Amino acid sequence: MSGNVVHLHKHTDPPAVDTRPALTVVPEQPVVPLWVRSGRAICTVVTHETTRTVARGAARHGLYVFGGARIVARRTWDGRTAARYERMLRAAEAAGNYEAAAEWEERGQRFREARHRRRMDLLHSPADAAKGVLVGTGMGIGSLVALGVVLAIANKDATDVITPLMAVVEFIRLLITIVQVVWGPLISIGPFLALLALWAVGSHQQAAPAWALPATVRDTAGEPITPSIVVKALRDLGVPALRNAIKEMGDAGASMLGPIRIAGCGVEVDVTLPSGVSTNEVQNRRRKLAENLTRHEHEVFITLPEAARTVRLWIADSGALDEPIGPSPLATDDTLTADYTKGRAPWGQDLRGDAAALSLYQRHLLITGLSNQGKTAALRALALWLALDRRVEFRIADLKGAGDWAMFIRLATILIQGPTDEHVIEATEMLEGGVAEMERRLQAADGAEFPPLILLVDEAQVAFMCPAKDEQKRPYGGSKAASRYFTAARKIHNQGRAVNVLLWQGTQDPTDQNLPKLVREGAHTRASLALGTESQARMALGDKAVDGGAAPNLLRPGLDKGTVVVASDGITIPAGQASITVRTHYIDTETATEIAERARALRDGVTTLHVIERGEERDPLADIHAVLGDAPRVLTADVLKRLSALNSDAYGRWTPGDLKRVLEDAGAEPYKSDGRMVVGRERVARALTNRDTDGSASASE
């Protein structure tokens, strides 16, 4: 009980109770030995960045002296021996320039002969020097004595005879005194002056290992390209044979380089590789070469010119390729027209900054690339230019259906827009209509020049991958002989060029499934935007172009939009190269619509069909009226083409005689206008109205 009272008292009467908290027992910390703490401190000091910087600085300046001594010794050796000529001789031989090698050998021989003569002259020089000293001393004493005699006569004092001699003696004694005073300190500080001179040479040449050199804070990106930078970049490329050959060259590799020429927004230089180094060893190291040149990979292009064992380097000014090029001439010149036969489409600029123009005459075209890289815009720019030639007819299937080709309404005779299987079926029948027109022209060919017919399919991979089949179970898509789209494309590739029926295709992310080999190799002009792999680049451009340096797979997706690598005989390509890189002009939709309006103004009214009707009974007179559009009259040949485009099954094999028979039966026979047979819209409309009226009257009776 008392214990409880005491316990209560301790808690209720604080002044009388010790309320200090209980002591907490802290575990005893191990005692770290003094030598461990000292070691840690020393380690911290040694590894500190300041210590390392000081150590590198001390090592660097010490190594400058040794490096300077090595450089001075080598210069002295080169000056006294024929080593320089031997190095230049080996460099010329390594480069395969035997003419220069013979010249350096001759120079070395002349140097040896001159050195031999100098050494032989040294054998006689002591005697000649002694004779010269005696003669000079005698003449000098004689002159001084004569001068003294003159002074003695003038002053009438005989002691003046030796005054000049004594003056010379005093001068010599003064010189000896000066030398005695200076000689000691000179001997003491001379070695230090020599070391300082060697340090200056080594410092100027940075003659120290890379780890000892100071970290540079200068931004070297974009520095001018000089021969020494190019040679150093090649030396450090990681090709042992190339590195060893450069070391053996007396000119440090300068003989490999041709002139560095300004080429557009960069420079261009040809490099003749030494024996034992192949061109693909340099091509395969494009990224490393670009980094050695302080450039990004996309700013260096490696191609193969005509000369053997030579690579041509085009090196862009830093950041120049990220700058946009100017607007298209189509957008700036309202008077610009096109000429399918002799003209060239202003497509963009090459890397030199020169205008890149493409001839489209009798050339099938294929352009491919990854999605959203500017493929449609590049293809549309060519079509817009060609639309300014009123002779050209377009039939277009846009299997993306995003409205990119909507400006060709009333400009193209057929415009299919959409990605579904139904749109692929219509695109296939459009191509088959083109085949029917091609065959009609081939049968009627008598040397005449047919107007151009461009069958353009954008997003053609949708057609090749379409699983739909017709009533006979023939697939529309696919890459086999049974495929209707594939078969039509192959037929046009085989014979269409001769009668100006051309197929232009745009496709993305090419594979053997969505771009069959026979189709892609049927195109005369092949262009590629950015791709993912080299195998895709070979599909797009062919093995020859890729082996020659074409590398669309190295373009930067998203950053190099609109940049195409082109393999075609329709564009000017530097001699020896198989392709050219072009930065295409971008024409936005609003500007494209304005250009299309100018093209429409050059034509009579064109009716654009958006759906190809098939599988139903045709009304020829109504179809003729439909294809005439708003034009008051249309050439009979154009009416046949439009009918064939409307339904190739019904009208693909029509001849002018068939058209004439139908119109004469309806009382709307063709007639001549300006010496050419035309179909009048009013006549056909009147005949159609009369027929319907007659039909109604008959029905009422």
Side-chain angles (χ1 to χ4, degrees), residues 31 69 79 101 293 306 348 368 397 454 498 506 509 608 701:
V31 178
L293 292 167
E306 290 181 324
T368 185
I454 306 299
D509 203 10
T608 298
E701 291 175 0

Side-chain angles (χ1 to χ4, degrees), residues 412-425:
T413 53
I414 294 178
L415 179 58
I416 300 165
Q417 300 183 90
T420 66
D421 290 350
E422 184 66 21
H423 293 101
V424 172
I425 293 172

Side-chain angles (χ1 to χ4, degrees), residues 140-169:
I141 293 174
S143 300
L144 292 173
V145 171
L147 180 59
V149 171
V150 173
L151 288 174
I153 294 173
N155 297 331
K156 298 180 181 180
D157 185 358
T159 58
D160 286 341
V161 173
I162 63 173
T163 297
L165 288 173
M166 295 306 297
V168 173
V169 171

